[in-house]
Amino acid sequence: MSQQTENAASRTKSIKRSHSMRFGTSINDDGTVSFRLWAPNCRSVKAVINENGSERTIDMKTVDGGWTVGTGRVAPGATYKFVTDEGLAVPDPASRFQPDDVHGSSEIIDPTAFEWRDSDWKGRPWSSTVLYELHVGTFTPEGTFAGVESKLDYLRDLGITAIELMPVADFPGKFGWGYDGVLPFAPDSSYGTPDHLKSLVQTAHQKGLQVFLDVVYNHFGPEGNYLHAYAGEFFTDRHKTPWGAALDFEGHTEVREFFIENALYWLEEYNIDGLRLDAVHAIKDDSSTHFLAELASRVASGPGTTRHRHLVLENDDNIASFLERDKTGKPSLYAAQWNDDIHHAYHVIATGESGGYYSDYVKNQKGDTTLALLGRALAEGFIYQDEPSNLRDGERRGEKSAHLPPDAFISFIQNHDQVGNRAYGDRIAALTNPSLLKALVSIQLLAPSIPLLFMGEEWAASTPFMYFCDLGPELAPLVTEGRRNEFAKFPEFSNPETRHKIPDPCRQKTFEESKLDWKEVQNSSPQSHHKSHHDFVQSLLNLRQSHVVPLISQITSATYKAEGNILSVQWKAGNKPILTLLTNLSRQAETIAKSISPSDQLATLYEGDEGCARRIASGHVPPYSVLWQIEQ
């Protein structure tokens, strides 16, 4: 966006945004504040207000359905807690801000105090999306929303069209990944205030960037979750999760409504462009209408009517039916799913690792090689489409997905999980050779599925991204021990002394060492491999937007062939190939088979090295070579 356009955007008439909901606080027209808490396990509740250093109480009435309500004249900026009949003081579960962390008081926020000036922003079509996942605390030295805002020009110029924030919902302590949040409506105070986050979103829009937010609706974290004390009905013993008590989406409508309101809150009050729902396979719901379907419907009929809003899933079950399109080609429920399958195939090719879940991607039960599995992921989305998994003792996984468009899948070579869940948080650039990495990146970024980059990936950052959390003294030693014991099954960590060297996730040093080193990419020396890799990624993203994105809506099917070390993929409009890939990801030159030779009817979009297309046309495919062709 030009400076003139940005100035025009800044002159846009200001508007107010506020999401009205049953939970938490609301400021009434007469200036009073209404307080609402669902506390079915309590006989009575009162709100204790702290304003200008003095404390007072607002009595709350118990009404039908376990709700308690109260109203008083309280100024924004005052803090409050709810006190149960047992004398337990708890924060508001729908708190908009926690200035003193998860155990502290909640602050009354007037959402209309922020003046929005992005009313002209209508979002971006999903097919044009290039996601950039980042952790607010480690993306910049400041580790704040303002720090992210200062890098938006850099991201726009790189070719990113959407930033995706790892969870910002209030979590315990000063640092953490965010997936153990306990107050899902409150941006974590270590990152800044609600207005700081709103400023980030607004500035992103003024620069043509979408903002996505990662949200966690499958569990609450282990510290700071007081719901068991006054609303135990949030949880159920009928289901289990790996992280704690399962949420009861089948019992009380208040539980479903709490999380649906949270989604609407971020999309309306913060004008967020999209949500990524974490690990939805852990959301167990046998209701006639699944929680995920109801959430998507409410978004589509609410904030989704005014402009582009995109919902994305992480789902280990590979449920293709959540990704179906309507007659016009628009998502019926969810725009896309993170495709772990394609990541695992990329990783096995890049590193040769075959332990743990990677074992399913070395060779499947039909004997398909990793290269063939990568071809299937590129052409059809999921690799496991109702097929048996060796890792899961033959259990079948997934649904058929070849009929879905390529933008129903988000592809990545790295993300927070796949880097951070390694013992030392090492990135792919440290695990493979540069030529192979370059080839894989050129495949990922020019394929018609939606690409995702993890912060720093664009310059092959050398800094690790490790697992870290700032829990209290009771939980921290358990987390440290548990983290190290997770790796005991790996041969390289069979020795307890070796496991003890794994960084302690609860030490601040682990968090600090996970921060990006921006000096790496700012080094403009021709010898800087970080800068050259950045420029390479930037050039691919330019090609993507100008040539690949316009074709995505035309693609009706895709086919693939893997012969030896050669992989060929064709994306077609009807029976006509409009985009093709031919690659040799091995270290040896190969002779090409006639059945997968390149087309002389298509133009070269990208060749890994100058003259590569000519050599492939003559039947010789160089090592680590990639040829993309596109319709004339």
Side-chain angles (χ1 to χ4, degrees), residues 559-563 566 568 570 582 592-598:
T559 58
Y560 69 97
K561 291 181 181 179
E563 297 189 12
I566 305 295
S568 171
Q570 292 188 343
L582 195 149
I592 196 169
K594 288 184 179 180
S595 61
I596 56 174
S597 58

Side-chain angles (χ1 to χ4, degrees), residues 123-172:
R124 296 183 69 123
W126 174 243
S127 61
S128 71
T129 300
V130 176
L131 287 160
Y132 188 94
E133 187 193 20
L134 65 89
H135 177 267
V136 174
T138 55
F139 181 58
T140 64
E142 301 89 347
T144 61
F145 296 129
V148 177
E149 187 172 343
S150 72
K151 297 295 185 184
L152 292 178
D153 283 338
Y154 162 85
L155 293 171
R156 177 197 58 194
D157 295 344
L158 174 64
I160 300 302
T161 66
I163 62 171
E164 180 181 315
L165 307 179
M166 288 174 63
V168 303
D170 204 36
F171 53 83

Side-chain angles (χ1 to χ4, degrees), residues 162-423:
I163 62 171
E164 180 181 315
L165 307 179
M166 288 174 63
V168 303
D170 204 36
F171 53 83
K174 296 179 180 178
F175 53 86
W177 275 19
Y179 293 94
D180 278 336
V182 292
L183 296 169
F185 293 81
D188 196 87
S189 58
S190 67
Y191 298 155
T193 66
D195 281 3
H196 288 138
L197 177 54
K198 293 172 183 177
S199 176
L200 166 60
V201 174
Q202 175 163 265
T203 303
H205 291 166
Q206 291 171 347
K207 297 179 184 298
L209 294 167
Q210 304 172 90
V211 179
F212 282 65
L213 182 62
D214 204 339
V215 292
V216 181
Y217 297 155
N218 51 50
H219 78 291
F220 287 98
E223 181 181 337
N225 173 23
Y226 292 93
L227 286 166
H228 291 278
Y230 59 86
E233 283 83 346
F234 257 87
F235 307 97
T236 177
D237 293 329
R238 293 190 304 276
H239 306 295
K240 305 295 181 184
T241 80
W243 313 288
L247 293 162
D248 188 2
F249 289 101
E250 303 159 341
H252 296 270
T253 58
E254 283 82 0
V255 179
R256 297 169 74 95
E257 196 68 14
F258 184 81
F259 293 102
I260 290 172
E261 289 288 358
N262 183 257
L264 297 173
Y265 163 81
W266 291 118
L267 295 171
E268 293 182 336
E269 195 159 301
Y270 281 80
N271 212 21
I272 294 286
D273 299 275
L275 302 174
R276 181 257 192 193
L277 277 65
D278 177 68
V280 299
H281 50 271
I283 296 176
K284 306 300 183 182
D285 183 7
D286 296 326
S287 306
S288 57
T289 300
H290 195 284
F291 165 77
L292 292 175
E294 183 178 351
L295 186 153
S297 176
R298 293 275 291 277
V299 170
S301 61
T305 62
T306 57
R307 64 171 176 83
H308 294 292
R309 310 277 185 166
H310 310 296
L311 298 178
V312 170
L313 298 175
E314 180 197 22
N315 189 352
D316 189 58
D317 292 336
N318 283 4
I319 305 300
S321 52
F322 282 131
L323 311 176
E324 296 292 348
R325 269 47 182 169
D326 63 19
K327 294 180 180 179
T328 69
K330 294 181 179 179
S332 299
L333 295 173
Y334 290 85
Q337 177 179 313
W338 274 32
N339 193 355
D340 279 339
D341 278 358
I342 199 168
H343 165 271
H344 299 342
Y346 279 137
H347 190 88
V348 171
I349 291 171
T351 68
E353 293 180 3
S354 59
Y357 47 70
Y358 294 126
S359 62
D360 265 353
Y361 300 86
V362 177
K363 187 174 287 187
N364 66 6
Q365 290 196 359
K366 294 190 297 183
D368 294 327
T369 65
T370 305
L371 192 66
L373 297 177
L374 174 62
R376 189 181 203 194
L378 288 165
E380 300 181 6
F382 298 141
I383 292 174
Y384 282 87
Q385 304 177 32
D386 190 31
E387 276 115 10
S389 159
N390 290 322
L391 181 67
R392 305 174 193 214
D393 299 321
E395 179 184 345
R396 304 184 79 86
R397 173 173 173 247
E399 295 178 349
K400 299 297 183 183
S401 62
H403 65 288
L404 293 170
D407 62 359
F409 306 93
I410 296 171
S411 65
F412 41 87
I413 298 174
Q414 298 180 79
N415 65 30
H416 74 274
D417 266 333
Q418 306 303 340
V419 178
N421 284 332
R422 300 180 67 84

Side-chain angles (χ1 to χ4, degrees), residues 520-546:
E520 290 184 333
V521 72
Q522 291 162 353
N523 181 359
S524 59
S525 165
Q527 289 76 37
S528 169
H529 73 277
H530 295 297
K531 184 63 166 64
S532 63
H533 194 78
H534 166 278
D535 293 347
F536 170 63
V537 168
Q538 185 179 50
S539 67
L540 291 173
L541 292 179
N542 286 336
L543 279 178
R544 177 182 184 83
Q545 288 299 333
S546 59

